[in-house]
Amino acid sequence: MVTLPSSVIVPALRLMRANRVFVTAEGARRHVRERELRPTPYGPPSRLRRDVQVTVSSAAWPVYTITPRGGTPTGSVVYVHGGGWVNQIAGQHWHLAAQIAAEANTTVTVPIYPLVPFGTAAAVATGVVDLVRGNLERYGSTCLAGDSAGGQIALSAALVLRDKHDLTLRRTVLISPALDLTWANPLIPTVQPSDPWLATPGGEVLADLWKGSSDILDPVVSPLMGDLAGLGPLTMFSGTRDVLNPDAHLLVDKAAAAGVDLEFHEGTGQVHVYPLLPTAVGRAARAAIVERLRLAVAEPLSA
């Protein structure tokens, strides 16, 4: 993978108009209509690293399984991709999932969950919870990970696992997670001018569709509103040029108050989902993600 200097990322994102889905409400609605009419492909790239193999099964959704070649993998990770609840899984997600499988020597499960306007928060959280429970039975120690919208789903699912199934995960990794879908944090406008990717008007449209019949403040939609006590360890990455960063700080504070171990990696000057980007900082973040998950899945389950 080519490594780019971090300094080119913001100009490139602005040149690409990466925020066009989010900068206006109508832009978000138009994008939803386009994706509803013309869904994008979701399969893995034809070229992933050679030391993993990929299989797919289908129940309610297509579910891909990535395993390292050779040896016996330990435990599993359920990885939930981002994309604003409307965009399909992308190459960067697949490459990170494959890296986790190979370098953490674990099985990585990647659900292709339904997007808006077909998918909603509660139904998708239930599906992810079922995957985690199945992986616990099949593979043993299981962690959750997700980026952006997938980070919201992962944390919401961890809360459901604790509340409805008395399950505490070894670790949940959150990459630039969406935490409060009201977009009401008063610090968001102060970060907005520096963020080349996300914005409130479109984000509110997508959040309203994603919540379905649930209340926007329900933790299955906005996990920041949940009681964090009793959750397993969390690892979170957030860049300071990301409008979701102020809510990440609120999660840090809530976790500390609840006695939850939260390891916070804040990328100064970094943008949304910077660990997925082809930069030196992104590469270091990916290495940290792999290491945390490697250690977590290696822990034996309690008797």
Side-chain angles (χ1 to χ4, degrees), residues 152 156 159 178-182 215-226:
Q152 175 267 306
S156 292
L159 292 169
L179 297 169
D180 176 3
L181 271 63
T182 68
D215 190 286
I216 195 78
L217 299 180
D218 188 324
V220 81
V221 181
S222 296
L224 185 62
M225 304 304 166

Side-chain angles (χ1 to χ4, degrees), residues 112-126:
I112 307 300
Y113 60 91
L115 305 169
V116 296
F118 307 109
T120 57
V124 170
T126 297

Side-chain angles (χ1 to χ4, degrees), residues 69-104:
R69 295 184 185 276
T72 303
T74 301
S76 75
V77 175
V78 175
Y79 188 91
V80 190
H81 73 84
W85 309 282
V86 67
N87 290 323
Q88 196 49 269
I89 187 170
Q92 296 95 323
H93 302 119
W94 284 115
H95 288 294
L96 176 56
Q99 181 179 356
I100 293 168
E103 297 179 13

Side-chain angles (χ1 to χ4, degrees), residues 44-57 63-73 77 94-103 105-110 138-139:
S46 57
R47 293 185 180 181
L48 273 181
R49 51 191 300 160
R50 296 179 179 179
D51 52 359
V52 300
Q53 57 186 0
V54 184
T55 59
V56 63
S57 61
V63 176
Y64 286 82
T65 301
I66 307 175
T67 52
R69 295 184 185 276
T72 303
V77 175
W94 284 115
H95 288 294
L96 176 56
Q99 181 179 356
I100 293 168
E103 297 179 13
N105 188 41
T106 192
T107 297
V108 178
T109 303
V110 181
R138 184 173 182 181
Y139 305 115

Side-chain angles (χ1 to χ4, degrees), residues 21-33:
V21 175
F22 294 91
V23 75
T24 67
E26 180 52 36
R29 295 189 189 100
R30 185 167 53 247
H31 190 68
V32 171
R33 291 193 296 269

